[in-house]
Amino acid sequence: MGMELTYGLSQKENVLLWGYDAKGGYCSQEPRELFPYIVFIAQKFADGRLSLEDVHHVDAFNYIWHMMYEQNAKTKEIRKQLDNQREQTKIEQRKAWDKFLVLALDGARFLPEQRLDIDDKIGKPFLYALLRVLSVFRLRQILEFGFDVATKITSQYAEHEGAQHHVYDWNRNRVMDMLKSWALPLHHTVIRGSEPVEVKRQEQDGIVYPAFAQERQRHPEEQYDCILLKRSIVRGGGTPSMDIMPYLPELLAEDFVILVDCAEEPCERMMIEDIGKILDVHGIAHQMFQLSDDVQDACVIVSGGWAEIVKEKL
């Protein structure tokens, strides 16, 4: 008795499989761990050297093999159930944040239409925190980085409350496009730095001075009780809001709140840590709160004097 065996290892996606086929048309693929033993038994069978003891081993092996397949099937089913549960949790989270935004809109009396334009670049936790902060506190000076849907909300607040609202964005095309599409009340909103970043940066004494440094030199006296830091200014190709770091202590009013979008991202996490360190070094009491959904996080950094109010109202 003789039989020609064909076998070997093959890669299928991220799984290494072995396969064999024999005369009679039977072929199979199995996990790599089973390969050496199956080849050994198959070769003995092909050479006519299979003993009764080998047959008993094969029976035991088949039982183990069967149990392994049953276990694998159960594992796949459990994974499928977990995936379904995770997806359902995400859906419930989104519904919950939609409800939170509706409630926050109810309290935003400064929005004439009580309606919110959702921008997928801005996280729902950030929008919720922004609406609640604008509804709870009577802010006088607001500094915002990045021109987007949050600008539309904040400009309407500034118009309603008579607050000063300063927006920095170095992407001229984006600013011009949004100004054309939005009817923004700009009596209390000033847009600065809306030139290409190459124009706004200068080199003096071998040092590159970011655009915000130049703007700060023009307006050294300004202090803000609210600062909005968003990633859109980075994605849009402008100077990142981290330019404000050297000026942060002097920018802040006695009581303040800082909102950071995309707080789950590495750059934003690093920026939040740096803000905390700077405030600690200058002895500025503060607390941090995190708001999360399944897409983006927001971080709320608030002065000690406003911390309890944020805990209660946010």
Side-chain angles (χ1 to χ4, degrees):
M1 177 179 173
M3 185 180 295
E4 183 181 350
L5 295 177
T6 304
Y7 53 85
L9 293 172
S10 66
Q11 185 83 23
K12 184 177 181 181
E13 296 179 353
N14 64 335
V15 179
L16 193 62
L17 302 168
W18 66 266
Y20 64 87
D21 61 66
K23 290 179 180 179
Y26 180 75
C27 63
S28 183
Q29 287 185 325
E30 307 299 343
R32 178 176 58 178
E33 291 78 10
L34 306 178
F35 181 63
Y37 182 74
I38 293 297
V39 169
F40 172 73
I41 292 295
Q43 193 64 60
K44 290 187 74 173
F45 176 75
D47 294 342
R49 298 184 291 107
L50 198 65
S51 67
L52 183 60
E53 185 178 2
D54 290 329
V55 172
H56 293 320
H57 288 166
V58 169
D59 287 341
F61 184 81
N62 282 339
Y63 175 76
I64 295 171
W65 200 343
H66 175 72
M67 295 297 294
M68 184 187 71
Y69 268 94
E70 281 193 346
Q71 188 61 44
N72 285 344
K74 290 178 181 178
T75 301
K76 287 180 181 178
E77 183 60 31
I78 291 171
R79 286 176 180 167
K80 184 178 179 181
Q81 291 175 4
L82 289 174
D83 288 340
N84 291 338
Q85 288 175 5
R86 278 191 287 265
E87 187 59 33
Q88 188 61 36
T89 300
K90 288 181 180 180
I91 293 171
E92 294 301 324
Q93 270 192 328
R94 290 174 197 140
K95 289 180 180 178
W97 276 109
D98 288 340
K99 290 178 181 178
F100 291 155
L101 285 174
V102 169
L103 291 173
L105 274 171
D106 287 342
R109 303 303 177 192
F110 54 89
L111 291 178
E113 299 177 4
Q114 295 289 294
R115 185 174 61 83
L116 186 64
D117 296 321
I118 299 295
D119 184 338
D120 59 4
K121 292 180 182 177
I122 302 294
K124 289 180 181 179
F126 181 88
L127 287 177
Y128 170 80
L130 175 61
L131 287 168
R132 293 301 299 141
V133 164
L134 295 179
S135 299
V136 169
F137 296 106
R138 186 171 176 79
L139 305 172
R140 308 315 308 157
Q141 295 270 113
I142 303 169
L143 174 62
E144 180 177 5
F145 282 82
F147 197 101
D148 48 41
V149 68
T151 310
K152 188 174 183 180
I153 295 170
T154 309
S155 67
Q156 292 178 89
Y157 173 86
E159 186 76 8
H160 188 271
E161 296 292 334
Q164 291 301 307
H165 175 213
H166 300 155
V167 187
Y168 285 83
D169 195 311
W170 285 264
N171 189 321
R172 171 184 276 276
N173 292 334
R174 177 174 57 198
V175 172
M176 292 301 103
D177 288 344
M178 289 186 176
L179 283 176
K180 289 176 185 176
S181 62
W182 292 348
L184 287 180
L186 295 178
H187 300 97
H188 295 270
T189 295
V190 178
I191 302 168
R192 294 174 176 166
S194 56
E195 296 288 339
V197 67
E198 291 80 11
V199 176
K200 302 300 290 185
R201 288 180 178 270
Q202 295 179 0
E203 187 169 321
Q204 301 173 12
D205 306 323
I207 301 174
V208 175
Y209 290 85
F212 185 78
Q214 298 170 30
E215 293 291 338
R216 186 62 183 164
Q217 289 168 9
R218 296 190 188 103
H219 311 280
E221 74 292 345
E222 291 174 345
Q223 287 189 315
Y224 300 92
D225 44 18
C226 181
I227 298 180
L228 310 179
L229 303 178
K230 294 164 294 174
R231 206 176 187 206
S232 57
I233 188 101
V234 181
R235 288 173 179 161
T239 302
S241 46
M242 284 187 287
D243 278 352
I244 73 167
M245 289 304 180
Y247 312 98
L248 189 62
E250 64 191 59
L251 282 172
L252 294 172
E254 181 178 354
D255 281 310
F256 63 86
V257 59
I258 302 171
L259 302 183
V260 184
D261 193 25
C262 297
E264 79 286 353
E265 295 289 344
C267 288
E268 279 67 22
R269 286 205 307 267
M270 188 181 302
M271 183 172 67
I272 291 165
E273 290 177 6
D274 288 343
I275 290 173
K277 291 175 184 176
I278 291 170
L279 297 179
D280 287 340
V281 166
H282 287 82
I284 300 174
H286 66 281
Q287 290 191 36
M288 295 188 181
F289 305 93
Q290 195 95 349
L291 302 175
S292 304
D293 69 1
D294 65 302
V295 181
Q296 290 174 224
D297 296 349
C299 181
V300 181
I301 305 168
V302 61
S303 61
W306 282 359
E308 290 302 318
I309 301 174
V310 168
K311 276 184 189 178
E312 179 184 350
K313 301 293 186 180
L314 210 62

